[in-house]
Amino acid sequence: MTDDAYLFLLDDASAQLGVAPAAVGELACMETPAVRAWLDAQGSTPTSPHLRLLPPEETAAVPEGAERLPVPLSEEELNRLRHQMAPEPLARLEEELLAYRDCAGGRDGLIGRALAAGVAPHRIVELTGVDPATVTAAASS
């Protein structure tokens, strides 16, 4: 398995393999001279319906003989790509998990501020639904 995602060209634009890079949003790699030169050499464009992108764990699915180019993606770009590849019910669940992660990202700081302000630990557990051990750990940090 490679650490790079792959841009590749499909002969049949209706094939359900990979994701069109435009569907993933802005990708830094699409602006690099290497990708632009590769697209020019293939007579293609970033918006071509034949151009697809696969994450590193899926690159074995690139058809044999397809024109391909390894491209590095940031963690954020990879997350967006993987999200686009997920079937609709899973994509919705992934969105919920990302929203939870974003909300929970400052959890310990918020718990610490609540404790410092005098909110009782049992009340924090009731309000947040977090494990009492989490509140205790936040109190000690």
Side-chain angles (χ1 to χ4, degrees):
M1 183 168 79
T2 177
D3 290 329
D4 288 329
Y6 269 85
L7 279 174
F8 62 100
L9 291 169
L10 286 175
D11 291 333
D12 179 6
S14 67
Q16 297 296 311
L17 180 62
V19 174
V24 180
E26 280 193 39
L27 298 170
C29 69
M30 297 303 287
E31 300 302 319
T32 63
V35 169
R36 284 186 272 152
W38 181 78
L39 287 170
D40 286 345
Q42 305 309 318
S44 189
T45 66
T47 57
S48 168
H50 297 274
L51 185 63
R52 301 296 169 83
L53 183 63
L54 280 172
E57 64 274 9
E58 300 289 333
T59 56
V62 175
E64 187 80 24
E67 293 297 332
R68 64 183 84 198
L69 178 71
V71 291
L73 298 180
S74 70
E75 197 61 39
E76 157 76 23
E77 291 169 336
L78 263 176
N79 283 335
R80 291 193 327 250
L81 172 59
R82 289 174 177 137
H83 178 71
Q84 286 295 321
M85 296 217 28
E88 184 55 35
L90 292 180
R92 277 186 297 209
L93 284 172
E94 285 184 359
E95 286 177 13
E96 289 180 44
L97 288 168
L98 284 171
Y100 174 77
R101 181 191 71 187
D102 291 342
C103 291
R107 180 193 68 195
D108 290 347
L110 178 59
I111 292 171
R113 289 195 322 269
L115 289 168
V119 178
H122 74 277
R123 184 69 177 135
I124 294 171
V125 170
E126 291 171 5
L127 292 169
T128 63
V130 299
D131 187 83
T134 301
V135 175
T136 305
S140 64
S141 59

